Amino acid sequence: MADLLVTGGAGFIGGNFVHYWARQHPDDAIVVLDSLTYAGNAATIAGVEQADLVVGDIRDTALVERLLRERHIATIVHFAAESHVDRSIGAPDAFIGTNIVGTQSLLEAARTVWLDEGSGKPHRFHHISTDEVYGSLGPGDAPFSETSRYSPNSPYAAAKASSDHLVRAWHRTFALEVTTTNCSNNYGPYQYPEKLIPLFLLNALSGKPLPIYGDGLNVRDWLHVEDHCRGIEAALERGRPGETYNIGGGEELPNLAVIDRICAAVDRAFAEIDGLADRFPRSPAAHGGKTDALKTFVEDRKGHDRRYAIDARKARAEIGYAPQRDFARGLAGTLRWYLDNEAWWGPLLAT
């Protein structure tokens, strides 16, 4: 393809994408623009020789313009976002600033350099969004498709919905070549330990409560982050400008079922891996106990969407996307990664 500017490339999904793209496209240079807020971590992309980290804010339009010009970049992959729903409820201003104003700033920089000053050569602005923009599904409702009505229910989802509309508008009004992917719940390596899977894994290792919202039966479609990266690659290489593609994992599970699988996986790990009891003596499993004894039901989150599900048929038909990792294999690999990489997550828990 060409050299890329990856915004939020030191975060969870962006960082995994940097690793994935470097493996798949070893001749491409990757410029990572990240402000290194709490969820951005330079250690996530340490060792990726193709990646050049620039610490800066996506709202700095002049900085983005300079990077596009000086690095001769014709592809932006836009991950940078505030993404934790709980934080958006308590402090929505940051979500408006980063997700909406930040996206508009990037779009304007791209328009200035690629269209107003550009030579007319091909370019691509790829925007990563979420299934949460579609709202909540009932038990018998059909999964979200690319034509589903937007109905965001949290400040986070509303900010992401707004950014989706901005990307569409810059395509329709200014002819900027864009694509958008709306993904389901990601999990895998390098995820900041505030999201369900890493939070519960690390709480289980340290013997802390596993806080379950409401009845624990909220349903999500679980997508391994490497499958998501594969879907983004497919959209960049084969997606039609102006189109949106839903990227799902095809694994609808209630939160309680995910938590039960985490508990069982932790118990197995302590039974099978020598030395875990010495490393994590506070875990119930270190003393022959059951991790599920840590489950604690707490008051439900405000506006908690009941169910998300993704219809990925358009992505399969048009860009050849299909997930390659089922949840059982993906969860096992994720647990193993966290057990093997305490040097990455340990400092995060100490702050």
Side-chain angles (χ1 to χ4, degrees), residues 303-323:
H304 200 179
D305 289 337
R306 191 62 170 175
R307 172 177 169 245
Y308 305 143
I310 283 285
D311 179 348
R313 285 180 294 178
K314 178 180 175 180
R316 182 185 295 271
E318 292 195 11
I319 61 176
Y321 165 76

Side-chain angles (χ1 to χ4, degrees), residues 41 44 51 54 56 59 82 97 129 142-143 147 155 180 182 189 207 229 233 238-240 246 272 285 298 310 340:
N41 189 345
T44 296
V54 177
R59 291 171 290 185
E82 295 286 346
S129 190
T147 60
T180 296
N182 292 75
C229 293
E233 178 187 45
R238 297 183 290 278
R240 291 181 290 134
N246 281 354
E272 296 171 359
V298 300
I310 283 285
D340 291 343

Side-chain angles (χ1 to χ4, degrees), residues 243-254:
E243 290 297 315
T244 295
Y245 301 95
N246 281 354
I247 305 296
E251 294 268 7
E252 269 192 77
L253 292 167

Side-chain angles (χ1 to χ4, degrees), residues 289-302:
K290 294 294 187 181
T291 300
D292 64 9
L294 298 172
K295 292 194 298 188
T296 304
F297 288 88
V298 300
E299 183 179 354
D300 206 356
R301 181 169 68 199
K302 295 178 180 179

